[in-house]
Amino acid sequence: MRLKNVKGASEKIESSKYIVKDYLNCKGKYKELFNNDNPIYIEIGMGKGTFIINNAISNPNINYIGIEKYDSVIVRAVEKLENEDIPNLRLIRFDATDIDKIFDKEIDLIYLNFSDPWPKERHANRRLASIRFLKRYEKIFKEKNRIIMKTDNRKLFEFSLISLVEFGYKINSISLNLHQDDVSNNIETEYEKKFSNLGYPIYFIDVEK
Ligand SMILES: C[S@@+](CC[C@H](N)C(=O)[O-])C[C@H]1O[C@@H](n2cnc3c(N)ncnc32)[C@H](O)[C@@H]1O
């Protein structure tokens, strides 16, 4: 994603009711923050937020937290939310490399949508389904671990599939062309819309452990 400096981004982020500002102090306390016992689903690398916002609107009995590392990107989600009232949604501006510093055995599902592919081999451990990240996710899942991933990048998909299965995940469902196989109740991400419009197949996997 190309990054631009967005004027006033940090002020907008700071003043949004959706942004969790004291995230280090919220570790292990999301049940209290949402004030209910509902499952918590997170999206790592949520970009401009279309997917997580639409999920939160469609599923009020699930709590959603979007995580994005750049101000200039998360601010676009904050802008979309300016006139919305979605109690089951929060956003965190954070680099998920340290995800286990902000959650503690309270997450039910992780979405990895169109994650950065990091194509160079020497950067393989920056991929969000690398063993390095999977080990950190172990510390934040509540009971069952569940990861759902979508991507247009076949190499990233193959790498992630091998990594997940080697780490003990079992496949619930898989598609090498999601939009051809099943589009019912699929909520699209920004990148998904862009790449499927260009005719690229969307790879999908839902795994559990
Ligand atoms: C290619 S975009 C995809 C955005 C969105 N998920 C979609 O499908 O439209 C990947 C996003 O992940 C974010 N990202 C990458 N690595 C991250 C990390 N370690 N922690 C948090 N966000 C990350 C990037 O800043 C970028 O906004």
Side-chain angles (χ1 to χ4, degrees):
M1 185 170 288
R2 203 152 40 112
L3 293 174
K4 289 188 216 117
N5 258 336
V6 178
K7 216 173 149 218
S10 45
E11 291 77 7
K12 270 190 192 165
I13 293 167
E14 200 55 29
S15 64
S16 170
K17 66 177 177 182
Y18 291 94
I19 296 278
V20 181
K21 286 145 213 143
D22 57 343
Y23 46 75
L24 292 175
N25 286 324
C26 290
K27 182 175 177 177
K29 297 182 189 151
Y30 280 90
K31 206 164 112 173
E32 287 81 35
L33 190 142
F34 284 111
N35 202 20
N36 61 47
D37 238 339
N38 293 341
I40 302 177
Y41 292 5
I42 66 173
E43 183 186 10
I44 300 180
M46 57 161 234
K48 297 175 186 168
T50 298
F51 175 85
I52 198 102
I53 294 171
N54 288 337
N55 266 286
I57 293 169
S58 304
N59 306 294
N61 293 329
I62 297 172
N63 298 317
Y64 290 90
I65 305 174
I67 297 158
E68 167 56 51
K69 69 176 167 180
Y70 291 119
D71 272 8
S72 58
V73 183
I74 201 170
V75 71
R76 298 306 179 204
V78 166
E79 286 167 348
K80 284 184 196 145
L81 289 164
E82 263 161 20
N83 298 314
E84 301 288 342
D85 189 19
I86 313 172
N88 57 324
L89 176 67
R90 293 290 186 284
L91 309 176
I92 305 180
R93 219 268 310 134
F94 190 71
D95 184 333
T97 310
D98 289 321
I99 191 94
D100 51 328
K101 291 204 172 122
I102 61 168
F103 297 120
D104 184 26
K105 300 213 170 297
E106 55 200 325
I107 303 305
D108 294 273
L109 190 153
I110 298 177
Y111 288 108
L112 301 176
N113 291 323
F114 298 80
S115 307
D116 295 341
W118 294 107
K120 289 185 181 143
E121 210 33 59
R122 68 189 154 90
H123 292 148
N125 71 358
R126 296 185 192 178
R127 298 174 196 151
L128 294 181
S130 63
I131 299 291
R132 175 179 173 231
F133 275 91
L134 296 185
K135 281 185 182 160
R136 297 197 177 159
Y137 302 157
E138 291 290 284
K139 300 184 191 162
I140 72 166
F141 277 121
K142 196 164 145 195
E143 283 149 17
K144 283 211 160 175
N145 303 6
R146 187 162 171 219
I147 298 178
I148 297 184
M149 174 179 187
K150 293 195 267 192
T151 180
D152 62 300
N153 188 306
R154 187 167 179 121
K155 283 201 168 134
L156 178 69
F157 183 71
E158 287 170 355
F159 169 88
S160 305
L161 185 55
I162 291 167
S163 176
L164 288 160
V165 170
E166 279 184 357
F167 203 72
Y169 281 89
K170 303 268 178 289
I171 298 172
N172 287 335
S173 63
I174 185 164
S175 171
L176 302 183
N177 193 336
L178 181 65
H179 290 217
Q180 199 174 66
D181 287 353
D182 176 19
V183 280
S184 66
N185 68 41
N186 175 49
I187 294 185
E188 281 192 313
T189 81
E190 267 127 18
Y191 272 65
E192 179 173 1
K193 197 169 225 148
K194 183 167 124 187
F195 289 116
S196 62
N197 283 346
L198 290 170
Y200 295 174
I202 304 301
Y203 302 96
F204 168 93
I205 190 168
D206 173 346
V207 294
E208 198 170 280
K209 154 177 182 327

